[in-house]
Amino acid sequence: MGVIRLIQDLMKHRRSIRKFKKNKFAIEKLCSIVNAGLLAPSGADQSPYAVIIINDEQLKIEIRQECELADKYFHTDSPRWLKEWFAKKNITPEKLFLTDAPFLIIVAGNTTMPYWLESTWIAITYIVLTAEEEGLCTLTYTPGRMDFLVPLLDLPKEYNPVVIIPIGYPDEYPIKSENEKENKIFFNKFGETNPTRLS
Ligand SMILES: Cc1cc2nc3c(=O)[nH]c(=O)nc-3n(C[C@H](O)[C@H](O)[C@H](O)COP(=O)(O)O)c2cc1C
């Protein structure tokens, strides 16, 4: 019961952070956070991903430049509703968080493994929630394209970059969005919102 409460608190309090303080924190803390990903369930228990931790300032600059270029195109080509959502959230192609956050965690999935993408995202969730437990904030950032990471990070060809997670201390305190979250949970049939007796 106690453990469930703690996890629910972490989930409720976690927010995507897009403004980070430059304050550093110990790499040991980060290693324990990314190791939590390995505790996640994965297809055939293969943990089919590699985690690359980045603190090289020049590399962060190069990654930011490529991401800003990719997101410029992504924002231009987005449908109107998404452009409006970006504007409401103040999300622009400028990605300061990629150079402000002291570390970037890049997770790349091994595409030759079964269920590689599903397993990789579950591990990412474990990482993000463990960061929260350690008092750190994250963003699951997925730029319009990530193939430039393959040569930059010397990734083997079977690995696809899946996410870039800046991690650090927040420099903003967003409240939970008021997005419509109704009509997501049904009972026995899609559309049935009345809980039926299960016993
Ligand atoms: C698969 C996935 C991809 C995402 N990609 C981006 C992204 O590219 N840029 C960004 O700013 N946020 C990204 N996010 C963060 C979402 O915008 C954010 O989770 C959502 O707005 C809800 O806000 P919250 O995380 O604070 O609850 C992504 C989240 C997920 C799960």
Side-chain angles (χ1 to χ4, degrees):
M1 185 65 184
V3 173
I4 291 170
R5 183 76 232 137
L6 182 61
I7 291 170
Q8 291 210 352
D9 278 348
L10 293 173
M11 291 191 291
K12 278 184 190 151
H13 288 116
R14 182 209 56 79
R15 290 280 69 79
S16 288
I17 292 300
R18 298 179 180 86
K19 279 190 189 158
F20 287 86
K21 292 184 174 146
K22 293 194 173 188
N23 304 27
K24 296 191 187 316
F25 60 91
I27 185 90
E28 290 76 17
K29 201 170 186 170
L30 185 54
C31 289
S32 103
I33 290 169
V34 297
N35 268 301
L38 297 170
L39 301 173
S42 68
D45 202 16
Q46 294 300 297
S47 301
Y49 43 79
V51 177
I52 294 147
I53 295 169
I54 295 185
N55 69 346
D56 180 300
E57 295 300 331
Q58 185 53 39
L59 192 50
K60 282 161 65 182
I61 290 170
E62 285 177 53
I63 291 170
R64 179 177 157 194
Q65 284 170 343
E66 293 285 356
C67 289
E68 289 184 339
L69 195 61
D71 272 1
K72 217 179 263 176
Y73 289 112
F74 184 71
H75 278 236
T76 310
D77 292 345
S78 293
R80 184 206 283 248
W81 73 265
L82 190 51
K83 282 185 179 146
E84 287 171 0
W85 186 82
F86 285 146
K88 196 172 99 189
K89 301 280 283 185
N90 213 10
I91 296 175
T92 71
E94 189 182 44
K95 303 299 173 190
L96 275 170
F97 54 74
L98 292 173
T99 43
D100 283 349
F103 296 102
L104 303 178
I105 302 168
I106 297 186
V107 187
N110 183 339
T111 60
T112 65
M113 294 289 176
Y115 307 107
W116 68 273
L117 190 54
E118 298 88 338
S119 305
T120 301
W121 273 107
I122 295 173
I124 291 166
T125 307
Y126 274 46
I127 290 171
V128 163
L129 284 176
T130 308
E132 190 73 24
E133 188 187 28
E134 293 284 352
L136 293 159
C137 290
T138 58
L139 175 69
T140 47
Y141 175 53
T142 52
R145 46 175 279 261
M146 283 190 263
D147 51 348
F148 62 85
L149 288 170
V150 173
L152 264 187
L153 308 181
D154 285 344
L155 283 177
K157 66 175 182 343
E158 63 270 26
Y159 281 82
N160 270 13
V162 170
V163 73
I164 303 174
I165 308 174
I167 180 166
Y169 296 103
D171 203 15
E172 64 171 355
Y173 301 91
I175 51 166
K176 185 66 185 161
S177 79
E178 286 159 19
N179 256 1
E180 182 68 64
K181 291 280 167 82
E182 284 169 13
N183 294 329
K184 301 281 185 196
I185 297 170
F186 305 118
F187 299 91
N188 288 323
K189 285 190 176 146
F190 185 93
E192 179 52 70
T193 52
N194 268 340
T196 50
R197 281 182 199 277
L198 297 178
S199 61

